[in-house]
Amino acid sequence: MRRKLAAGNWKMNGTATSLAELEKLSSLYPNPDIDILICPPATLLHRAAQAVQANSVIVGGQDCHALVAGAHTGDLSAEMLKDAGAEYVILGHSERRQDHGESDELVRAKAIAAKDAGLIAIVCVGESLEQREAAETLDVIGEQMSGSIPDQPIGENLVVAYEPIWAIGTGKVPTLDQICEVHDFMRAKLEDRFGAASASSIRLLYGGSVKPKNASEIFSVSNVDGALVGGASLKAEDFSGIIQALENA
Ligand code: PEP
C-alpha cells in the first residue's frame, strides 16, 4: 500500500511569521494517516523542522545541488538540507527547468545526490500547453521520466509528480480523464523500466491548481497518490481542506 502524500511547495514565499501556519497545521494533524509535507524556502527549513511536532508535518527542500560540496556560491547540497531537517526535496520543478535551464540529466544527477543523502526526491514532469495541444503530452512525460529518474528507484527514495505547466498557478486543471491517462501512463512506464514491485511502491502526485474545492475529485482518479500544491499550501486552512480530501479518498 502506498501511503498518500500531501506536499506543499511554498516557493519563494515566507518569512519567520509564516512559521505560525506550519505550527497550526502541525497541531491540526498530530498523527496523520497520510504524509503531510511542507517545503518552505531554504531560509526557513531549520526553523520549520523545529516548529513541527514529531510524527506530524514533515519538511523538505525545493531544490538541491548535484554535488556533495564545493565552490558553488549560493547552492545547497542534499546533505545540507538533510542536516537542516529535510526529509524530502522537490527536483526538476518546471519553474527550475524554465528559470534555471535545468535539464533531465541534471535533475537525474540531483535525484542521485538526494538518495545518497537519505532524502526522498519528488521529481516533477509536465508538458506545456503547446505540447498538449500538439498531442505530445505522453511523449514529453515519457522522455522526462526516462531522463530524470535514476536507476533502481523505490518508494523510499522517489516520488514522481505530474505537473502540467499550463495548470500551475493558473486555476486551470486538466480533466479527470486527462489526469488518469497520464498517471496510468507513468505507472506503466515505471513498471516497464523497473518492474512491477518497485513501480507499485512509487507514489505519483498530481500538481497544478489543486484547491480544497477540486481536491476530492482529483484524488478519486486511479494512480493519484496525492498532490503537490503551490498556492493553496501557504495557509493552513486551505491546505487542511486538501489534506482532509486526501485522507477521505
Ligand atoms: C506548483 O507550483 O507545483 C503548483 C502546483 O502550484 P499551484 O498549486 O499554485 O498551481
Side-chain angles (χ1 to χ4, degrees):
M1 261 308 262
R2 294 183 294 274
R3 192 168 154 93
K4 294 171 191 167
L5 171 61
N9 174 11
W10 281 7
K11 310 190 184 188
M12 199 172 71
N13 296 293
T15 53
T17 53
S18 319
L19 293 171
E21 295 298 326
L22 203 54
E23 282 161 9
K24 206 189 285 178
L25 202 58
S26 178
S27 61
L28 279 173
Y29 298 97
N31 233 322
D33 296 332
I34 64 170
D35 287 340
I36 302 173
L37 168 70
I38 292 288
C39 299
T43 47
L44 288 181
L45 192 50
H46 186 57
R47 279 176 288 175
Q50 290 178 322
V52 293
Q53 298 161 23
N55 303 321
S56 126
V57 178
I58 42 190
V59 300
Q62 299 177 12
D63 177 49
C64 69
H65 199 277
L67 297 177
V68 173
H72 303 286
T73 304
D75 281 318
L76 297 170
S77 72
E79 187 188 33
M80 290 168 180
L81 298 180
K82 179 84 179 172
D83 184 51
E87 294 186 34
Y88 286 73
V89 61
I90 299 169
L91 296 175
H93 190 283
S94 59
E95 287 154 14
R96 292 211 59 89
R97 290 179 186 264
Q98 281 173 349
D99 297 355
H100 300 271
E102 293 197 358
S103 64
D104 289 334
E105 194 184 9
L106 180 62
V107 174
R108 184 176 190 279
K110 290 181 175 196
I112 292 170
K115 180 184 170 190
D116 291 347
L119 294 175
I120 301 176
I122 302 179
V123 171
C124 302
V125 296
E127 82 286 4
S128 67
L129 188 58
E130 295 69 31
Q131 289 165 333
R132 176 157 283 279
E133 285 173 351
E136 292 170 1
T137 298
L138 299 186
D139 290 342
V140 170
I141 303 296
E143 199 175 312
Q144 288 179 333
M145 287 179 72
S146 299
S148 308
I149 297 176
D151 290 334
Q152 297 176 338
I154 50 167
E156 279 151 35
N157 53 47
L158 179 75
V159 172
V160 185
Y162 169 50
E163 296 215 307
I165 298 168
W166 51 274
I168 294 176
T170 60
K172 292 185 191 145
V173 181
T175 65
L176 300 187
D177 284 347
Q178 288 172 328
I179 296 174
C180 184
E181 180 187 37
V182 174
H183 279 244
D184 286 354
F185 171 80
M186 294 200 298
R187 181 75 63 208
K189 182 99 186 141
L190 291 172
E191 275 168 15
D192 282 354
R193 184 166 159 205
F194 306 115
S198 299
S200 70
S201 70
I202 296 169
R203 290 169 290 180
L204 303 180
L205 307 184
Y206 167 76
S209 296
V210 178
K211 308 285 176 207
K213 67 176 185 319
N214 62 15
S216 291
E217 59 176 23
I218 292 170
F219 297 146
S220 72
V221 175
S222 69
N223 280 314
V224 173
D225 302 310
L228 180 53
V229 182
S233 70
L234 293 170
K235 294 277 170 224
E237 196 185 333
D238 294 336
F239 200 41
S240 183
I242 294 169
I243 291 166
Q244 279 166 28
L246 190 56
E247 281 187 332
N248 296 334

